[in-house]
Every structure is written in structure tokens, then in C-alpha cells.
Amino acid sequence: MCSCTLSFNRTLIRLFLPSILFSSLRMSTFVLASLSSLPFPSSHHCLVSNQAQPHLQTLPLISSINNCKTMEDFKQFHSQIIRSGLSGFLAEQHRMVSFCCTHGQGDMGYARLLFDEIPEPDNFMWNTMIRGYSNNSSPEAAVSLYIEMLARGVGPDNYTYPFLLKAFDRQMAIEFGGGLHAHVTKFGFCTNAHVQDALIHVYSISGEMDAARELFDKSPKQNSVLWNAIISAYNRSKKYDESCKLFAEMEELQVEPTVVTLVLVISACAKLKNLEYGAWIHRNIENFRIVPNLALLNALIDMYAGCGDIRTAWSLFENMEAKDVISWTAMVAGLANLGQVDQARELFNRMPERDIISWTVMIDGYMKANRFKEVLEIFREMQAVSVRPDEFTMVSVLTACANLGALVVGEWIRVYMERYKVNMDIFVNNAMIDLYCKCGCVENAFNIFEKMLKRDKFTWTTMITGLAINGHGEHALDLFTRMLRTSVRPDEVTFIGVLTACIHAGFIEEGREIFSSMINTHGIFPNVCHYGCLVDLLGRAGQLKEALETITNMPMKPNSRVWGALLGACRVHRNLEMGELAANKILELEPDNGAVYVLLSNLYAKLNRWEEVGKVKDMLMQRGVKKIPGYSLIEINGNIYEFVAGDCTHPRIEEIHKKMEEMGRDLMLAGYAPDATEVFIDISEEEKEDTIYKHCEKLAIAFGLLSSPAGATIRVVKNLRICLDCHNAIKLISIIYKRLIVVRDKTRFHHFSSGSCSCKDYW
DNA sequence: ATAGGGTTAG
């Protein structure tokens, strides 16, 4: 049997909602003709016979509708009613429709069948039906019924609009919020507080805060409920300082807040990180004559924890009579955001129950602490206990994948999200673009980018930077030009990406122009990172003098990265004097910067100044500087393997060493000669060659060769800059084994194919 | 006979 619900789609609603207003309360032939598919006025699918007469003697046999727990109970009750002949009675009909509409187990299809038996439903009945659809989250059906109600000449009342509007989602609110406001005005319910409240709610979800505010301003404002409604609307629109302002205004006008008001304002303080105001409200709870309930305590815990006052959060948490999952989650999030991930995990493990948000908070905590492998571990744990990830979870997991170069896991997430219809919103798409870019798959990233209907500044910035570090400088600049034609404005991060594109592609003039356009046309003042880019850009082009001038004239104190860019350029262009200057400046700022010693000794080595190489080595030993240990990551079958130089802990290390020997032989045959000029000096001469030989990226590639099918791309992520020797070797490996090898190092990508690298040996 | 505002995640 058909469900017989009138289901207008949004197109029809768009058509009828305005027209019904002008034909209000009279039968509209136009609308009624269009509603001819309705089971009205006499339905051809009667459940019951209206002709039946009641037999009062059967009454005692009828069970009470109040005892019905499920639709099954109800259907039995209904058949008793039919048999008893009571089904034509209005009171029974009302009670039965109400049951189907308002009971937790109700059934709107059934409600509609019963409703259609009522020859002339009054507006109470229509309201009940509308409420049913609303509770059912079927806003279209609710509006359809509302249109039908007006078409049949039944007037709405104060109750109609709150029911109708309550279930609106964002899209419905945008499309029909204003229209229904017109209905409210026309029918004269503008002054009813419940109706105003519902309208404020609808405007807030469609983001029309001005309209919401106008309604609020026109209201009498005596009752706190509308204040709560407008504060809640500002919170939803992330206008948290407006929420606090309104609360202050409430005080001035001596409108008494309720516990809900305080929950809203404390929550706003948490988002604003305004500990002072939040704590002040907390101290004054009694003066406000408020008895804190669970929601308020949770909001306070979140506020204190979010503002970094973990001690107060703890004491509130520990003194609570009853905690719910939100209390625990707020504490876990507070610890995680302070960087105390392990403490957060301990608390997380003690939680009596965990929901999707708790898991996501924990996952995100590991992500923010750069503990990416643990992100994947806990994500697996979460799935093992059958908690379904949502789009929030996926953003954190995708970010971890991007940092690990875990392409397979990332792809799995994409498939999962499609299969389980997880909402692919702008955050997820941005994370997906980042993943593909950081795995060296720019085309896949770009496909997602092009398919997106809405792009924010993060979308553009991620894509531009991704193209830049993958060596597609020209494409990155094209995209930037395209971005400038949209309404999305670039920010300082976007310009880092754009300048990076110029650096990697060697676009000196474009880079300079863009740098000066930052101030002149975009009103963004370059920070020290932008100056670093400019120095890098000039330095790589060999314009060392201008690079140094840039540093001398920059309006802020140059940091070690700025000097590092100059030092790098001096190494490439073999400028000893300036290189020493830059190195000294860096060591003044950061005596423990191991990378400087490497760069400087490389520079000396290139110029065959071995005595100085030795001096750098001595200096390093004296100061006890530790070089950051290098590691390489490779993902095989969805697992992440980590290699460090001379690694012996891998379970298949023997196979890997055998492969390394084979690779060594093949490389020699192909004319490879180890180049030790870039090898660092903390090892003795005789060890040198052996150590290069075992650089972790080579180990990772050897493992990649033996664990992936012929022809498969090998992707490696390295935490440091790739060395010259490995770069030479991998070029040859790409020929010998006919593989595309993608290495992401600290700053850029190297796509090795048929003996050459996308960086054009310039990195 | 029917209605209002709330706390945790990117």
C-alpha cells in the first residue's frame, strides 16, 4: 500500500508557497487542481468504513491507546476500534492520529491514512500532522501539508509555525524561511513569542543574522527565552562576542538569565578563550539565582579546559555528582589541546562510554601532537569497536595520512566515505587535496579541486602550495590568477604557496612582482617567512648581493630560516664569504642548529677546503650538537614502515640487505659512483661510503622494490633534505628498475622517472 | 488536547 503522504518536492513547494498566501483561506482552484493526486476529499484506499455504526456494548473489550507501546500494539488497538465501529468518531480519530504522529515509535504513513479518514480536520489535527513530519525530520512533507491545509481553507494558528519550522535544515531555511515569515505576518502571528522564537531559529540556521536580529529587536524582550534564542543564533553563527555583548545588555535591562543563558554564554567564552569573563560568570552563578545543572557544568569544564585552566576544570569534573560523555570528552579535549596527549589518553581509556566525538577528540589530539602513526592506530581501535567515523574524524585521519604519505589508507578512506555516505564537506575535500598533494599525486588532487562546488581560501591555498612543491610552478601561478578572479581572498599563507611556486620554478621576476603586490594590491604585510622566500628566490637565481640586501633592509629581525636560505644559495653558487656570514648569523641565533654545520661543511667540501671541514666538525663535537636523525617512511599494503640509517630492526631486514647489495651491483654497472661530498662529518672517512650506502631513503626504496609489484610507483617520505648522493642513485634506480619513484623531502617533491628528477637537480 | 532556549569534535 502506498504511504499516501503528499510529498511535495522543493520545486513544488517553491511554486505553491507564495501563491497559496495570496489565495489564503479560500479554496484555491489552482492549488487544489495540482493536489488532485491527494486522497481528498474521499479516499479510495479506505482503512475503515465511515458507514459503520458504533456498538457501545463492545466498548469494555477495547484496550486503551495509552497502553500501546509500539505500532504493533497500536494496529491491534486500531482493529478493535474498527470492529467496534468507533472508527468514525472524531475523538477516536484524533487520538489515533496523535499517537502515530507523536509517539516515539509512530508511523507517519499510517498517520496519513487515518488523517485522510477525517472529513474536515480542524487546525489542531493539521498541526499534529505537521508536528509528526517535523519530528520525523521531513520538513518537505511538513510544508506540503501546510500548503494543503491552507488550500483546504483551514487557517493556521500560533502552534502551526513552531511545529513547521522546527525541523528545517539549512537548505529549507534558506529557501523558505523568508516566505514563511511572510505567511506569519499576513496571518498576524508576528507578535507571538513562540512564533518569533521559531523564526529566529530558522534565520540563524540559514545564516541570515540580520533578519534574526531584526525580529529580536522588535520583540518585547521581557522574557529571557527570546534572548536565549538570539544568543544561541549568534553562537551558531560563531559570533561569540555578540553573544557576550547581549548577555551584558540583558544584565543592564535586568532581564533574569536562565540556566540556558549561562550555558550559551559560557560556551561563547570558551570559544573566545575569554577565561576572565567566563570565570566572572561562574563566580556569579548564585547572584543570577541559577542552580547549575549538568549542561552548565559541562560548559564550564569545557571553558576552563579550553582556556588552559586545567586545574579548575579538574576540580569541577571531580566534584560532579553525575558525569556524562560530554563531561569526559571536554576534559579529554582540554588535555589534548594543551599538548598533554598521554594524559588525555589515560582519561580517555577510563571513560565509561565513548561516542564518535570522544574518539574524534582523541584522534585529533594525536594529530595535533604530530603523532601520526598513533592516529592510524587509534583509528583502527575505534573501528574495531564498531564506532562509525564521520567527516570530522576523517579530516584528522586524512591529515595524518598526508603527513605519513599514507596514500593507500587515504584512498581507503575515500572509498569508505562513498560507501557509507559520509558527508564530503569542504573540510574533507581540503584534507583530501592535501593528502594527494603530499603524496605527490597532483592530478588526483586537482580532480577533487575542480569538482568542488564551493572553495574556501584553504582549498585554494592547499592546491596552489601542492602544485608548487610538486614542481608545477606555472600551474600554481595560473591557479593563483584564477583565485584572484573569485571572491575568495588570499591570505599570508596563500602567498607563501605562491612564492614557493616561483622559487621552485625559478620565476624571479614574477616572484618579485607578487611580493610587492602583497602590500600594494592585497594589503598584506609580508612577514619574516615571506622575506625568507624572497631571499631564497634571489639566492637561487644567483643574485646573492640582492639577497643579502633584502635581509639587511627587511623591517624585522631576520630569523635563522632567512639566513638559511642565503646559506643554501651560497652553497649552490659557491660563495664562501657570504656563506660564512650567514652561517655565523644562524649560529648566533641557534647554536644547536645541526643543519647549519651540515650546510657549511658541504660548502667547504665543494670548494675542497678540507681543513675548514675539519674545523666545523671540531666545533660541532665541542658544542655537542646533535644532528636531527633522518628517517624515511614508506607505505606498503596500508602499513607504514619507518627506516633510519643503518636500521636493523625491520623484520625483513635480511631480505632488504640482500636487495641493497643487488641494487649496489646494478648501480655500479650503470656507472654510479658514490658522492660523499655531502655526507656529514660525524663519521670517519672509512665509514663514509658505507653510510651513504645505507641512507634510510635507499633502505626504504629497497624495501619498496621487493614488496610491490613490478612497475608500481614507490613513494617515500623523508623528514630531512635529500642528499646529493641519494639523488644521483635514485635517478639511476628509476631507470634500472623501470619505476616511478616519488620522494617527498623536507621542502619539496622529487619525482624520479627514467633517470631524471622533476626538481631539475635544483633543490 | 499542541510550543520555546542548552553543553563536546575539523
Side-chain angles (χ1 to χ4, degrees), chain A residues 573-641:
Chain A
H573 297 287
R574 305 183 184 208
N575 185 321
L576 188 58
E577 197 186 337
M578 211 182 277
E580 284 175 334
L581 169 77
N584 283 329
K585 291 285 187 186
I586 300 170
L587 292 176
E588 273 172 33
L589 295 163
E590 294 177 15
D592 288 336
N593 188 325
V596 183
Y597 297 93
V598 181
L599 278 174
L600 187 60
S601 70
N602 287 169
L603 172 58
Y604 286 131
K606 267 196 173 175
L607 296 166
N608 291 320
R609 308 278 283 257
W610 299 105
E611 201 179 312
E612 279 89 347
V613 171
K615 277 186 196 157
V616 176
K617 181 178 173 178
D618 291 342
M619 198 156 72
L620 186 81
M621 293 303 183
Q622 275 167 20
R623 295 185 184 178
V625 176
K626 285 273 179 293
K627 215 176 84 166
I628 301 167
Y631 63 76
S632 292
L633 302 175
I634 186 166
E635 183 196 49
I636 300 291
N637 298 327
N639 294 312
I640 309 294
Y641 296 90

Side-chain angles (χ1 to χ4, degrees), chain A residues 3 277 305 315 326 337 359 375 390 396 406 412 419 427 438 444 515 566 570 578 585 596 734 744 763:
Chain A
S3 75
Y277 197 44
S315 77
I326 296 176
N337 286 331
W359 283 97
V375 169
D390 65 6
S396 300
W412 178 90
R419 161 125 38 104
F427 291 89
K438 287 218 170 79
N444 294 8
F515 188 88
L566 185 68
C570 291
M578 211 182 277
K585 291 285 187 186
V596 183
S734 74
R744 179 174 107 205
W763 77 99

Side-chain angles (χ1 to χ4, degrees), chain A residues 522-593:
Chain A
H522 302 285
I524 297 171
F525 285 93
N527 62 32
V528 69
C529 300
H530 299 106
Y531 278 97
C533 288
L534 186 59
V535 171
D536 204 348
L537 185 75
L538 296 166
R540 277 160 198 267
Q543 304 180 9
L544 295 178
K545 212 178 121 228
E546 286 177 84
L548 183 59
E549 274 167 21
T550 304
I551 297 181
T552 319
N553 296 329
M554 58 194 271
M556 66 286 281
K557 191 176 181 326
N559 64 11
S560 61
R561 299 191 67 130
V562 176
W563 288 114
L566 185 68
L567 176 55
C570 291
R571 184 182 50 97
V572 173
H573 297 287
R574 305 183 184 208
N575 185 321
L576 188 58
E577 197 186 337
M578 211 182 277
E580 284 175 334
L581 169 77
N584 283 329
K585 291 285 187 186
I586 300 170
L587 292 176
E588 273 172 33
L589 295 163
E590 294 177 15
D592 288 336
N593 188 325

Side-chain angles (χ1 to χ4, degrees), chain A residues 213 231 234 239-247 272:
Chain A
R213 184 58 187 257
I231 293 174
Y234 279 121
K239 303 250 169 67
Y240 302 110
D241 31 331
E242 205 60 43
S243 302
C244 292
K245 250 195 235 165
L246 277 159
F247 181 67
L272 292 168

Side-chain angles (χ1 to χ4, degrees), chain A residues 9 78 87 163 261 265 286 307 342 490 526 576 604 641 657 667:
Chain A
N9 58 28
H78 184 206
S87 54
F163 289 143
T261 323
V265 183
E286 278 182 29
C307 294
D342 296 312
L576 188 58
Y604 286 131
Y641 296 90
H657 279 152
L667 280 168

Side-chain angles (χ1 to χ4, degrees), chain A residues 172-350:
Chain A
M172 286 292 284
I174 290 171
E175 278 200 65
F176 308 118
L180 283 165
H181 188 180
H183 283 221
V184 166
T185 313
K186 166 124 184 193
F187 291 122
F189 300 117
C190 257
T191 53
N192 179 283
H194 292 277
V195 177
Q196 289 170 340
D197 176 60
L199 284 170
I200 289 175
H201 172 81
V202 158
Y203 279 128
S204 83
I205 54 180
S206 65
E208 295 169 83
M209 280 310 295
D210 293 342
R213 184 58 187 257
E214 202 183 320
L215 272 162
F216 172 76
D217 286 340
K218 280 192 211 145
S219 73
K221 296 185 197 171
Q222 283 143 356
N223 182 324
S224 68
V225 173
L226 277 191
W227 287 87
N228 293 347
I230 191 75
I231 293 174
S232 152
Y234 279 121
N235 274 4
R236 196 180 332 238
S237 327
K238 304 189 197 297
K239 303 250 169 67
Y240 302 110
D241 31 331
E242 205 60 43
S243 302
C244 292
K245 250 195 235 165
L246 277 159
F247 181 67
E249 228 176 279
M250 247 177 121
E251 282 233 274
E252 269 172 46
L253 298 175
Q254 298 186 320
V255 182
E256 288 220 345
T258 63
V259 69
V260 175
T261 323
L262 296 198
V263 168
L264 288 165
V265 183
I266 290 292
S267 160
C269 290
K271 302 283 196 240
L272 292 168
K273 307 252 177 269
N274 189 342
L275 180 59
E276 204 185 330
Y277 197 44
W280 177 82
I281 294 171
H282 185 195
R283 282 195 302 275
N284 282 284
I285 285 182
E286 278 182 29
N287 298 338
F288 294 127
R289 291 193 284 161
I290 299 294
V291 181
N293 62 5
L294 180 60
L296 181 53
L297 288 169
N298 286 345
L300 283 166
I301 289 173
D302 178 55
M303 190 272 295
Y304 283 113
C307 294
D309 185 350
I310 280 290
R311 281 189 47 172
T312 312
W314 259 120
S315 77
L316 282 166
F317 180 75
E318 291 194 313
N319 292 319
M320 276 171 104
E321 283 167 25
K323 306 172 177 67
D324 66 1
V325 65
I326 296 176
S327 333
W328 287 87
T329 305
M331 275 312 299
V332 171
L335 288 166
N337 286 331
L338 281 180
Q340 304 178 14
V341 200
D342 296 312
Q343 288 90 326
R345 182 59 192 262
E346 238 169 75
L347 198 66
F348 178 82
N349 288 342
R350 279 168 40 204

Side-chain angles (χ1 to χ4, degrees), chain A residues 690-758:
Chain A
D690 193 43
T691 307
I692 320 174
Y693 182 61
K694 282 180 186 155
H695 261 178
C696 56
E697 49 268 59
K698 291 205 192 95
L699 283 166
I701 289 170
F703 182 55
L705 283 172
L706 63 89
S707 355
S708 64
T713 300
I714 294 177
R715 296 169 200 281
V716 173
V717 172
K718 188 172 160 53
N719 64 329
L720 302 174
R721 181 180 167 280
I722 191 170
C723 84
L724 181 62
D725 178 67
C726 282
H727 202 267
N728 288 338
I730 300 169
K731 279 200 252 176
L732 290 171
I733 293 170
S734 74
I735 304 179
I736 299 167
Y737 298 96
K738 297 191 179 59
R739 297 278 194 134
L740 178 61
I741 301 171
V742 182
V743 179
R744 179 174 107 205
D745 76 4
K746 203 179 167 191
T747 51
R748 64 142 70 226
F749 274 89
H750 303 269
H751 294 254
F752 296 95
S753 167
S754 314
S756 61
C757 178
S758 61

